[in-house]
Amino acid sequence: MKIAELLKKKTTLSFEVFPPKDEVPLDGIQNTLSHLYRFKPDFISCTYGAGGSKRGRNIELCEVVEKSGHTVMPHLTCVGHSRDEMKKIIKDYIDRGFENVLALRGDFPAGWNGTNGDFSHADELIAFLSAEFPQMCIAAAAYPEKHISAPSLETDIACLRSKQDNGAQFIITQLCHDVPAFERFLEQIRKAGVTIPVIAGIMPVLSCEPIIRMTIFNGCSIPAELAAIIGKYQNDPVSFTRAGIEYTAVQLHRYIAAGVNGLHLYSLNKWEKITETLNAAGISN
Ligand code: FAD
């Protein structure tokens, strides 16, 4: 199923998972998926490791999702890839029945200053994919508080417009705890002529140190409400998780009220806490 088609009909619910390390069997993630499937997700996206380290496992995991009868969306990055390699990868996706791909530049491995491949930015990859493989539904990433290396939100939104103009059919956003900032972003991109659907990427607040690390790594802000949870429960992991789940459940409704076209939960491969969060929010598909 092409996700862009689905987005014409409904607000989607979906999850991101990541492939386990090479030596780890797939049983654990298969178990996680079997629990996430209870929410009848519209699709599952699978991350793609930078520098080629997890390429094989990305395909393996996507195949597991596809074979279960669910729609899969592999992530794909420009890092280290030539045009010919990209062609082979997408032909392989098509042979396996995948119809969607999230086209990204990727984060550079330590010590790299660029992609060391034929594509420097996601918009170039998107242009290539939409010209060579018009049958694929292509998604792009966006950053409500701007990408960390972008000089301004305006220049970043111009890059997002370029992704749309080059063939991206919908957007998935980076984590953003600040819903009013997200709403301003939505207004700004619409004014800039970005008309494609926007799915909110939601990072559930489950553990103190990882949420601070991921938020800072992505150059995102920590609103007062979340800062209060961190301040109160930073030394009490159980209470932190309970408060974080309640907070995330409320956030999900704030995103729906903001008019997003879908909710995409970064599952962190943790089905129990995701289940608790969605149950607390009363959200199912
Ligand atoms: P780009 O669109 O290329 O943007 C990168 C920077 O360059 C931005 O500052 C932008 O403003 C600027 N820019 C964009 N186009 C141009 C241009 N034509 N000329 C000049 N400047 C330009 N990373 C992974 O490695 N694997 C994953 O699986 C993965 N999944 C992700 C899923 C989501 C939903 C999101 C939001 C991010 C994900 N990332 C992943 C992280 C992502 O790869 C990084 O954020 C990366 O730094 C930027 O990727 P991009 O596709 O947005 O790049």
Side-chain angles (χ1 to χ4, degrees), residues 18-29 54 57 61 269:
F18 58 85
K21 292 201 170 92
D22 288 348
E23 62 282 5
V24 176
L26 286 178
D27 307 21
I29 183 66
K54 298 282 187 304
R57 295 233 105 181
L61 184 53
N269 291 3

Side-chain angles (χ1 to χ4, degrees), residues 71-237:
T71 297
V72 71
M73 179 171 73
H75 300 193
L76 178 61
T77 75
C78 302
V79 176
H81 282 311
S82 66
R83 278 185 170 69
D84 285 348
E85 280 172 337
M86 282 298 183
K87 269 192 190 172
K88 277 191 199 133
I89 291 170
I90 299 289
K91 278 184 184 154
D92 190 18
Y93 287 171
I94 292 168
D95 288 347
R96 291 167 195 261
F98 309 166
E99 295 181 280
N100 306 281
V101 63
L102 173 58
L104 300 151
R105 183 195 70 182
D107 283 324
F108 307 142
W112 291 31
N113 295 319
T115 62
N116 288 346
D118 284 344
F119 307 95
S120 300
H121 285 289
D123 61 347
E124 294 170 24
L125 175 60
I126 291 166
F128 172 78
L129 296 180
S130 58
E132 295 283 335
F133 303 99
Q135 67 272 52
M136 287 300 278
C137 173
I138 303 167
Y143 304 84
E145 296 180 272
K146 89 172 184 64
H147 183 264
I148 192 155
S149 65
S152 69
L153 185 57
E154 287 69 29
T155 61
D156 207 27
I157 289 176
C159 297
L160 183 60
R161 174 70 200 260
S162 171
K163 294 181 194 187
Q164 171 184 281
D165 293 348
N166 288 356
Q169 292 168 55
F170 68 98
I171 288 162
I172 303 196
T173 64
Q174 183 56 275
L175 71 89
C176 174
H177 306 299
D178 185 345
V179 181
F182 191 98
E183 288 171 328
R184 289 192 295 276
F185 165 77
L186 276 184
E187 245 176 64
Q188 272 182 273
I189 65 166
R190 296 312 184 206
K191 273 192 195 142
V194 177
T195 56
I196 53 179
V198 175
I199 295 179
I202 315 271
M203 182 62 72
V205 174
L206 302 177
S207 311
C208 187
E209 188 276 326
I211 202 76
I212 295 174
R213 181 168 32 82
M214 286 183 280
T215 304
I216 291 172
F217 177 81
N218 288 299
C220 301
S221 56
I222 298 184
E225 201 180 340
L226 178 55
I229 294 172
I230 293 169
K232 194 167 176 190
Y233 299 119
Q234 58 186 317
N235 297 318
D236 178 354

